[in-house]
Amino acid sequence: MAKILFVEDEPALQKALGDFLRGAGHEVLAALDGEQGLAMITRQHPDLVLLDLILPRLHGLAVLEKIKADRSLASIPIIVLTNVESSDMVERAIELGAKAYLVKADYRLEDVLEKIRGVLGDKV
Amino acid sequence: MPAAGDCRLWLDWVIITTMPKPLERLNVVKECDNSRLTLWSCPPFLFVVIGFVNISAILLSYFFATRYIENPQYVIAIVSVVAAVIFIIGHSIVHGFSKIAEASRFKTEFIAIVSHQLRSPLSIFKWSLNAIEHERQTKNPVPPSDAAYLTILNENTEKMIQLVNMLLDVSRIEAGSLILRCDPVRLDILTEAAVRSFAAYARAANIVLEYVAPARTLPVCGDAEKIKMVIQNLVDNAIRYSLSGGRVVIAITPSNPTVVEWKIQDAGVGIPKGQQRYIFQKFFRAEPSSSSQIRGWGLGLYVAQSIVTASKGEIGFESAEGRGSSFWFRLPVYRV
């Protein structure tokens, strides 16, 4: 079981993926904007972060940049989960250290879980 | 073919079906009409006007130069007026081009923004349906009628996602920002997945979908997600344009040690000869005389061609109306 933080401003997506991951035995924390997400990462030290990019208050890439710049948080794996799919965004996210870049509309809940398992490896 | 008596449609139809493509461009009024530009802000029309002005200017200069040889000031005045007219028309042409460029940029940005905005509610549909389906499988089975509705909702959500993805790709192709990876892609695996996902659709249309797996397939260089889209578009088209009871056959063969060919053959309605040269154009849908009610967006082949070409491959087809079509693409073998 892993502690997963899902930073996503859309409550319906929070509920669908949150419930699904809880059903698979994970502890899921929710943040509804970039600032809240960053604060929760610092406070809670999750095992993995699912990060949307278009977020209120603080853009997802800025959250990613701040996490990777902080030594105590840099090792937390981050999966970008967004609907924006421009090549510069993908490149920037991977350059900043994201483990994967997933387009929500193209992934089923099971596929997202599969990716999480792949990233967490032995931790699950 | 347009109804008898509709002269304008007849004229357009004759031009489309008989004129070679470069000659069609001479119909500047139609071209301006298609671009939604008024004649005086439409570059193709203004080029014709400027051509006439130039020829007239040369003739007039000659006429005045020979008649008023003792009064060169008249000649200078005429030439200056002509130069001013050419300058004004030239300015209108540049302005027309700027308007076209702006409209094209706006359209590309509009499609990209709308597509992103559409993806958000579509993800909500997809994940919510997914959650219901999961719940149904693991805890509470739903009555068969509800299950059928769920399947319909699922299928249509996927279709909408596919359309939005395709529109996004079109806007990327037009903006020149379609960047493809070169990963090792197994065409046989992608084809098996496509055959599985189209099985129900083919059965419902009473079409036999056949895929004979090759003994060995070398991976090709491509972007798996995009090549998957190419295969899906071609399979979808083959089924869509087949007649009930027909057969669609997919084959993968190595063209030579460095190229793999993927081919799909149907015995469907085929593409009329006069329409074949437009088949890869955006929003073009072939309309065989025997089948007027075929639905589609006219984007699949345009996107497929752009993806295959950007992957350093080739795409083509052979078709005969009433006998069927065979579409193929070739991609280079992946080299480490």
Side-chain angles (χ1 to χ4, degrees):
Chain A
M1 190 188 90
K3 192 202 284 185
I4 298 169
L5 172 67
F6 186 19
V7 190
E8 164 67 62
D9 60 331
E10 179 50 67
L13 292 177
Q14 277 280 7
K15 179 168 168 48
L17 184 60
D19 287 354
F20 187 79
L21 295 177
R22 278 182 207 103
H26 297 293
E27 181 190 348
V28 182
L29 310 168
L32 289 163
D33 64 59
E35 272 180 13
Q36 193 190 4
L38 191 61
M40 286 180 78
I41 294 165
T42 316
R43 232 180 14 246
Q44 304 271 354
H45 274 261
D47 297 313
L48 181 134
V49 178
L50 296 170
L51 180 66
D52 189 12
L53 289 186
I54 310 295
L55 289 166
R57 291 170 188 266
L58 193 60
H59 193 278
L61 286 178
V63 175
L64 186 57
E65 207 169 349
K66 284 177 193 288
I67 297 169
K68 293 300 169 184
D70 186 329
R71 274 193 178 181
S72 63
L73 306 174
S75 61
I76 298 174
I78 294 173
I79 294 179
V80 171
L81 198 51
T82 178
N83 271 320
V84 185
E85 197 195 4
S86 72
S87 48
D88 25 327
M89 285 256 201
V90 179
E91 266 170 35
R92 184 79 188 120
I94 299 296
E95 201 179 281
L96 284 171
K99 290 279 180 197
Y101 191 107
L102 313 181
V103 174
K104 285 181 272 193
D106 292 343
Y107 281 80
R108 292 168 59 85
L109 296 173
E110 298 89 322
D111 304 329
V112 177
L113 180 61
E114 204 48 49
K115 281 278 175 190
I116 291 172
R117 285 189 177 134
V119 169
L120 285 176
D122 297 338
K123 286 189 191 169
V124 261
Chain B
M1 195 180 287
D6 198 337
C7 294
R8 195 190 160 104
L9 283 179
W10 263 101
L11 183 67
D12 285 350
W13 184 78
V14 169
I15 289 168
I16 288 171
T17 51
T18 59
M19 268 192 174
K21 209 173 164 192
L23 282 183
E24 261 174 54
R25 296 198 168 273
L26 291 179
N27 187 1
V28 287
V29 176
K30 185 174 188 303
E31 203 160 314
C32 295
D33 209 27
N34 288 344
S35 310
R36 309 274 189 278
L37 288 170
T38 59
L39 285 180
W40 293 102
S41 61
C42 175
F45 175 74
L46 291 170
F47 269 124
V48 174
V49 174
I50 211 166
F52 279 115
V53 172
N54 271 327
I55 294 166
S56 315
I58 292 164
L59 294 174
L60 278 174
S61 302
Y62 173 76
F63 174 76
F64 280 99
T66 49
R67 178 161 284 212
Y68 298 102
I69 193 108
E70 292 86 24
N71 302 88
Q73 64 273 25
Y74 291 143
V75 180
I76 289 167
I78 294 291
V79 170
S80 304
V81 169
V82 171
V85 171
I86 292 175
F87 177 79
I88 291 166
I89 297 176
H91 176 75
S92 302
I93 292 175
V94 171
H95 185 66
F97 274 129
S98 311
K99 272 178 88 170
I100 292 172
E102 196 186 335
S104 165
R105 200 173 51 244
F106 175 76
K107 186 189 69 186
T108 305
E109 279 170 13
F110 176 79
I111 292 178
I113 291 167
V114 169
S115 301
H116 286 312
Q117 296 304 322
L118 279 173
R119 265 181 168 176
S120 295
L122 284 171
S123 325
I124 296 175
F125 293 159
K126 181 169 178 146
W127 284 10
S128 302
L129 285 165
N130 229 198
I132 296 172
E133 208 178 26
H134 182 74
E135 172 97 4
R136 180 167 72 92
Q137 281 166 1
T138 52
K139 296 172 200 163
N140 305 313
V142 294
S145 60
D146 290 2
Y149 283 125
L150 274 177
T151 308
I152 292 169
L153 282 171
N154 249 325
E155 279 175 6
N156 282 282
T157 305
E158 282 306 323
K159 271 189 196 161
M160 277 297 289
I161 290 173
Q162 207 188 340
L163 173 61
V164 170
N165 285 347
M166 208 127 73
L167 282 172
L168 263 173
D169 277 336
V170 169
S171 73
R172 285 194 196 107
I173 291 162
E174 293 195 333
S177 61
L178 182 76
I179 298 162
L180 300 177
R181 299 148 60 102
C182 175
D183 295 327
V185 176
R186 290 274 301 273
L187 290 180
D188 53 339
I189 293 176
L190 292 183
T191 307
E192 277 160 24
V195 168
R196 266 199 307 278
S197 72
F198 278 95
Y201 176 39
R203 250 197 322 275
N206 190 27
I207 284 155
V208 179
L209 181 57
E210 255 183 45
Y211 164 56
V212 185
R216 180 172 163 265
T217 311
L218 291 169
V220 295
C221 161
D223 188 315
E225 280 302 313
K226 303 294 176 198
I227 303 297
K228 183 174 144 192
M229 191 187 269
V230 173
I231 293 176
Q232 282 177 338
N233 287 344
L234 294 179
V235 176
D236 188 35
N237 270 355
I239 297 173
R240 199 188 293 273
Y241 285 90
S242 281
L243 301 169
S244 178
R247 182 178 290 267
V248 170
V249 184
I250 305 172
I252 300 173
T253 45
S255 286
N256 61 51
T258 58
V259 176
V260 176
E261 182 182 273
W262 186 98
K263 190 174 188 178
I264 186 161
Q265 181 133 26
D266 67 64
V269 292
I271 306 159
K273 210 166 175 50
Q275 297 181 19
Q276 291 189 3
R277 61 171 171 270
Y278 305 107
I279 204 73
F280 288 113
Q281 278 180 20
K282 191 176 34 167
F283 296 119
F284 181 82
R285 292 193 303 120
E287 283 183 12
S289 51
S290 57
S291 172
S292 55
Q293 285 297 313
I294 292 171
R295 293 188 304 162
W297 304 311
L299 289 173
L301 288 176
Y302 170 73
V303 171
Q305 187 191 41
S306 305
I307 290 171
V308 172
T309 312
S311 310
K312 299 187 173 63
E314 287 178 281
I315 187 165
F317 69 96
E318 289 90 41
S319 183
E321 193 174 7
R323 291 216 298 276
S325 307
S326 126
F327 278 83
W328 53 263
F329 66 83
R330 297 180 190 128
L331 286 171
V333 167
Y334 179 80
R335 298 265 174 249
V336 186

